[in-house]
């Protein structure tokens, strides 16, 4: 972890700099993986940490001879001044290094998939300043954020799509996104230059493409895959139909398109009426590269990012309730939450809330999470 954090430039003046930057960032990472939601809670985590823990994190001794945790003001100024792009790049590189999911191009297993999705930081709005908006590249399973960029106030997600994915190794992977990012040049860039595949969900804001896909003779095509699931007070079933579209659409709306998908969902929640929804998508994968079950799984995985990442950030870490708005602090806090969620997912944690509660009261556990110690418990604890 230290190796990657050293790549983040220190925004502070050299004069009066006491705490090493990597040490401060490690305190933040340890606190957030322990469930800290705010800068105040990060500060409190540092204050609870023992002298041994602070020493392992790289905090130097003060003149009286003891180590002191950084103050709230120190952490606030640092997070506000950090280079957001550099921090996200360091975090993404660390998580990618520990994600050992391999690309299987033989078709014997589903290819790794990356969802491109945006999220607003609702609480970051302040006076005349609009809320911050972040665009992320998140792996489907496990849910790990590999890249993140802030969408400027005068731009939109589409402009950030290519810069977001540019640093990633996409060869052989499947990139999923909604209709907002279904732009010709970007889709062609993914397939031809980055050697990736895509699945693009078609919605009403793409009227021409939507009409083309819906006009295909779906009633003449049998259902290729069905699946049913129950849990959390609801039952959901999904059916998938696929159809070759090279001769029908000619690649006009979607370059390199090979298949069209029609996914029909039925959901029955306890005490409520059954709902039905039909979703259409196109993909550069053909029938030899992915089965209908794989294709349905990719679309389902894209929808799942909302629950596996965004929902966790809002519920477990109270991201939407956070009123941090100064400088780059909102983005830095979001990056630290991505880091904590990604690392815990890679370690096999299914319930992030339960896991952070288990770590919260023992700062030593957090050091093991980041590989600072070889054991979950330090000697003598």
């Amino acid at each position: 972890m230290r190796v990657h954090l050293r790549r983040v430039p220190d925004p502070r003046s050299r004069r009066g700099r006491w705490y090493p930057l990597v040490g401060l960032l490690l305190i933040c990472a340890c606190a957030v993986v322990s469930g800290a939601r705010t800068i105040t809670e990060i500060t409190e985590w540092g204050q609870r940490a023992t002298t041994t823990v602070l020493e392992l994190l790289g905090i130097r001794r003060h003149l009286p001879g003891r180590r002191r945790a950084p103050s709230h003001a120190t952490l606030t100024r640092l997070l506000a001044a950090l280079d957001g792009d550099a921090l996200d790049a360091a975090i993404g590189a660390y998580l990618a290094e520990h994600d050992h999911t391999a690309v299987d191009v033989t078709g014997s297993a589903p290819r790794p998939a990356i969802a491109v999705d945006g999220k607003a930081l609702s609480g970051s709005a302040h006076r005349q300043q609009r809320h911050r908006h972040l665009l992320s590249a998140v792996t489907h399973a496990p849910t790990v954020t590999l890249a993140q960029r802030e969408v400027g106030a005068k731009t939109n997600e589409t402009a950030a799509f290519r810069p977001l994915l540019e640093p990633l190794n996409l060869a052989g992977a499947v990139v999923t996104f909604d209709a907002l990012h279904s732009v010709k040049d970007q889709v062609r860039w993914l397939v031809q230059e980055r050697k990736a595949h895509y699945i693009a969900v078609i919605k009403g804001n793409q009227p021409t493409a939507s009409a083309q896909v819906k006009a295909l003779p779906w009633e003449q095509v049998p259902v290729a895959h069905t699946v049913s699931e129950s849990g959390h007070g609801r039952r959901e079933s999904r059916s998938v139909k696929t159809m070759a579209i090279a001769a029908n659409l000619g690649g006009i709306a979607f370059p390199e398109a090979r298949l069209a998908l029609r996914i029909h969902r039925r959901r029955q929640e306890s005490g409520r009426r059954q709902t039905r929804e039909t979703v259409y998508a196109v993909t550069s994968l053909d029938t030899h590269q992915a089965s209908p079950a794989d294709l349905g799984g990719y679309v389902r995985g894209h929808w799942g990012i909302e629950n596996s990442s965004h929902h966790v950030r809002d519920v477990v870490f109270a991201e939407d309730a956070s009123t941090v708005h100064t400088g780059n602090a909102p983005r830095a806090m979001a990056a630290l939450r991505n880091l904590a969620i990604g690392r815990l997912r890679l370690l096999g944690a299914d319930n992030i809330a339960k896991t952070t509660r288990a770590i919260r009261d023992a700062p030593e556990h957090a050091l093991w999470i980041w590989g600072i110690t070889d054991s979950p418990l330090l000697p003598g604890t």
Side-chain angles (χ1 to χ4, degrees), residues 281-337:
V282 293
T283 177
S284 60
L285 294 162
D286 60 32
T287 54
H288 302 291
Q289 295 171 313
S291 68
D294 293 337
L295 296 171
Y298 289 135
V299 176
R300 174 68 171 171
H302 184 82
W303 294 331
I305 298 303
E306 189 67 32
N307 293 327
S308 301
S309 178
H310 298 174
H311 182 73
V312 173
R313 282 162 59 177
D314 287 335
V315 175
V316 178
F317 296 103
E319 184 167 88
D320 267 354
S322 173
T323 56
V324 173
H325 60 271
T326 305
N328 288 328
R331 178 177 178 181
M333 288 296 293
L336 291 168
R337 295 175 189 123

Side-chain angles (χ1 to χ4, degrees), residues 98-120:
H98 288 77
D99 183 5
H100 301 297
T101 304
V103 177
D104 186 342
V105 297
T106 64
S108 59
R111 298 163 182 260
I114 298 172
V116 175
D117 201 13
K119 185 182 187 300

Side-chain angles (χ1 to χ4, degrees), residues 117-125 130-136 151 157 306 310 313-314 319-322 330 334 337:
D117 201 13
K119 185 182 187 300
L121 305 180
S122 303
S124 62
R130 67 185 292 271
H131 65 260
R132 310 297 180 85
H133 192 92
L134 302 175
L135 185 66
S136 303
V151 179
E157 289 187 13
E306 189 67 32
H310 298 174
R313 282 162 59 177
D314 287 335
E319 184 167 88
D320 267 354
S322 173
R337 295 175 189 123

Side-chain angles (χ1 to χ4, degrees), residues 5-6 25 39 43 68 110 113 143 176 180 191 205 225 227 236 241 259 272 287 327 329 338:
L5 292 180
R6 288 193 185 104
L25 293 178
I39 300 177
T43 306
R68 292 188 302 184
T143 309
T176 62
L180 178 64
V191 177
N205 64 335
H225 173 70
V227 63
E236 183 175 309
K241 291 184 177 182
L259 292 174
R272 297 187 179 183
T287 54
N338 289 335

Side-chain angles (χ1 to χ4, degrees), residues 136-287:
S136 303
V138 187
T139 57
H140 285 202
T143 309
V144 176
T145 302
L146 298 180
Q148 180 174 265
R149 290 187 68 88
E150 184 166 353
V151 179
K154 297 183 180 181
T155 58
N156 56 34
E157 289 187 13
T158 303
F161 182 88
R162 190 178 296 192
L164 174 76
L165 296 177
E166 191 81 51
L168 303 181
N169 178 14
L170 302 176
V174 178
V175 180
T176 62
F177 46 86
D178 59 23
L180 178 64
H181 299 292
S182 298
V183 179
K184 260 188 178 183
D185 290 341
Q186 294 184 163
V187 170
R188 188 179 292 109
W189 172 77
L190 271 178
V191 177
Q192 297 180 359
E193 295 187 30
R194 303 311 303 274
K195 308 305 178 184
H197 289 281
Y198 72 86
I199 297 181
V201 175
I202 305 300
K203 297 180 180 179
N205 64 335
Q206 297 269 344
T208 302
S210 179
Q212 286 179 312
V213 177
K214 289 181 179 179
L216 296 173
W218 292 109
E219 298 305 320
Q220 302 176 21
V221 178
V223 172
H225 173 70
T226 59
V227 63
S228 297
E229 297 175 348
S230 298
H232 304 288
R234 66 176 181 266
R235 179 178 177 80
E236 183 175 309
S237 62
R238 298 181 298 277
S239 62
V240 180
K241 291 184 177 182
T242 64
M243 184 183 301
I245 61 172
N248 297 288
L249 295 184
I252 297 174
F254 291 89
E256 309 291 339
R258 296 292 180 266
L259 292 174
L261 285 71
R262 178 183 181 272
I263 302 173
H264 187 68
R265 296 192 295 176
R266 297 183 182 183
R267 176 177 293 185
Q268 178 69 63
E269 296 189 22
S270 300
R272 297 187 179 183
R273 297 180 61 182
Q274 184 185 81
T275 60
R276 300 185 180 189
E277 180 185 17
T278 301
V279 177
Y280 296 91
V282 293
T283 177
S284 60
L285 294 162
D286 60 32
T287 54

